[in-house]
Amino acid sequence: MDVNTWKKRLEKLPLGELYLYQELGSTNQVADDLVQQGAPPFSLVVADSQTAGKGRSGRSWVTQPGKALAFSLILYPESSLIEANQLEKLSGLGGLAVAEVLTENLSLNAEIKWPNDVLVDGKKVAGVLVDIHWSGPDLKVVVLGIGINVLKGSVPDYPLNFPASSLEELAGKEFSRVDLLVDVLRAILKWYPRITTQSFLTAWEGYLAYKKEQVTLLSAEDIVDQGQLIGISDNGSLIIQSDSGDENHYRTGEIHLRLVDRS
Ligand code: BT5
């Protein structure tokens, strides 16, 4: 990563402080530390590679040098902006921004596998990790972390929890990482003030993978529910029309979504 070039591009956006690293442990971890030091809103941490990238629930996320995007944006939501029971919308914000840019700017077939994965042609190309700091009952700080597999060689070569690929492999051409970063940040900045609106929900749901299809919801290895995926509720929960006939709503927690293989 050419830090000076990237910094010049990023300075044109209405962001806070910029922290660009060739290598660090985890951009979310560094952003957490910066929050403790009083980093201003929309401060951004970007790393060319991560040695301890974080997935959800203690899983790890691999960021190979020179191949991927790994960044974290610090947000200080106004207390009215997002209610405690709507936190799924923050993952939705990251997923929507990535899916929209991949679809509209790169002409890729992007979808969001609720809650936090972005798929292209059914393969995972990006993940979103939201870390939240509370001050008593109030949501104080949100660290929105996003990892995107841009170039060949960005996908780890060991077995993963879901089939994965890179944008280059799927599109058959290379993409500029810094262009993509700028576009995704623009999309986040566009949608963030609209996160409580119907247009946000409609746009997010528009990219939802497996709509009207039969899915299984898993918690670790246990089946939590099976049925048809209906959509996203007003507070960002996933709606499943269960095989038993009930309509069930799910928050993220430890839930995984899988398409039922009917072959
Ligand atoms: C995620 O977790 O998908 C969230 C990933 C968020 C990564 C970003 S990078 C910038 C910021 N800083 C961080 O430290 N993290 C965020 P989850 O759904 O739990 O998926 C994790 C699982 O994905 C792992 O257990 C692996 O099986 C798989 N995996 C790891 N690296 C991958 C990669 N590069 N591409 C596809 N799958 C990967």
Side-chain angles (χ1 to χ4, degrees):
M1 168 169 84
D2 178 345
V3 169
N4 288 334
T5 310
W6 285 45
K7 214 168 195 167
K8 274 198 194 112
R9 294 285 307 279
L10 293 166
E11 274 165 359
K12 299 197 174 110
L13 298 178
L15 297 169
E17 287 167 3
L18 302 175
Y19 300 89
L20 279 69
Y21 297 86
Q22 294 297 353
E23 182 182 283
L24 48 58
S26 152
T27 57
N28 268 40
Q29 184 59 55
V30 169
D32 279 348
D33 297 344
L34 290 166
V35 166
Q36 308 303 333
Q37 295 159 31
F42 303 109
S43 290
L44 176 73
V45 182
V46 185
D48 194 54
S49 72
Q50 297 187 111
T51 53
K54 297 197 298 173
R56 294 187 303 147
S57 310
R59 288 186 290 272
S60 58
W61 181 262
V62 173
T63 308
Q64 307 278 18
K67 305 288 182 200
L69 280 176
F71 60 96
S72 301
L73 188 65
I74 297 172
L75 306 170
Y76 295 86
E78 286 168 31
S79 48
S80 62
L81 186 64
I82 187 150
E83 309 266 323
N85 69 350
Q86 306 200 338
L87 298 179
E88 280 74 12
K89 289 185 178 173
L90 294 163
S91 285
L93 172 67
L96 170 59
V98 174
E100 186 175 79
V101 168
L102 297 186
T103 303
E104 292 185 359
N105 301 18
L106 306 186
S107 304
L108 294 169
N109 172 28
E111 293 176 304
I112 298 169
K113 182 166 82 70
W114 186 94
N116 71 321
D117 295 342
V118 180
L119 313 180
V120 169
D121 299 342
K123 302 235 171 88
K124 179 163 173 172
V125 296
V128 178
L129 177 68
V130 175
D131 282 324
I132 288 170
H133 297 239
W134 296 92
S135 167
D138 297 326
L139 181 62
K140 194 163 163 264
V141 188
V142 173
V143 174
L144 175 60
I146 300 184
I148 310 179
N149 298 330
V150 183
L151 300 172
K152 276 185 190 153
S154 51
V155 180
D157 56 8
Y158 55 77
L160 301 171
N161 67 346
F162 193 84
S165 191
S166 66
L167 304 182
E168 182 180 2
E169 279 163 302
L170 291 164
K173 60 179 175 186
E174 287 187 25
F175 296 102
S176 152
R177 288 184 298 149
V178 67
D179 286 355
L180 183 59
L181 175 60
V182 167
D183 288 347
V184 170
L185 288 166
R186 278 210 183 99
I188 293 172
L189 294 170
K190 175 184 86 176
W191 283 111
Y192 178 57
R194 293 153 71 180
I195 196 164
T196 55
T197 64
Q198 185 57 43
S199 66
F200 172 82
L201 279 176
T202 305
W204 180 17
E205 198 175 57
Y207 286 106
L208 196 61
Y210 313 148
K211 241 178 296 166
K212 303 254 164 65
E213 299 203 63
Q214 284 294 118
V215 296
T216 301
L217 280 185
L218 300 165
S219 159
E221 295 308 310
D222 301 325
I223 294 180
V224 176
D225 203 349
Q226 272 184 315
Q228 193 183 54
L229 192 154
I230 303 296
I232 295 176
S233 75
D234 286 351
N235 68 3
S237 302
L238 187 72
I239 309 171
I240 303 285
Q241 177 80 53
S242 168
D243 290 345
S244 66
D246 297 337
E247 187 179 282
N248 297 326
H249 291 212
Y250 290 96
R251 313 285 309 271
T252 44
E254 242 316 79
I255 297 238
H256 304 271
L257 183 59
R258 293 290 181 272
L259 193 59
V260 172
D261 182 1
R262 279 161 298 175
S263 58

